[in-house]
């Protein structure tokens, strides 16, 4: 059970990191593009 739980937790962590990165990169990229377009 420990192995299955460990694998599941590992996948959850990877998915969480990707989700956080996407959530942080999307607004940042939009703001940067908007600023560049404005300037």
């Amino acid at each position: 059970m420990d192995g299955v739980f460990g694998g599941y937790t590992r996948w959850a962590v990877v998915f969480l990191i990707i989700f956080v990165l996407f959530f942080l990169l999307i607004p940042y990229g939009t703001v940067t593009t908007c600023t560049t377009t404005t300037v």
Side-chain angles (χ1 to χ4, degrees):
M1 262 187 177
D2 193 62
V4 178
F5 197 79
Y8 198 81
T9 309
R10 193 170 165 179
W11 260 104
V13 173
V14 174
F15 207 83
L16 193 83
I17 293 166
I18 294 166
F19 197 83
V20 172
L21 280 167
F22 239 81
F23 207 80
L24 284 166
L25 279 167
I26 289 167
Y28 202 80
T30 309
V31 173
T32 308
T33 308
C34 192
T35 308
T36 309
T37 309
T38 310
V39 177

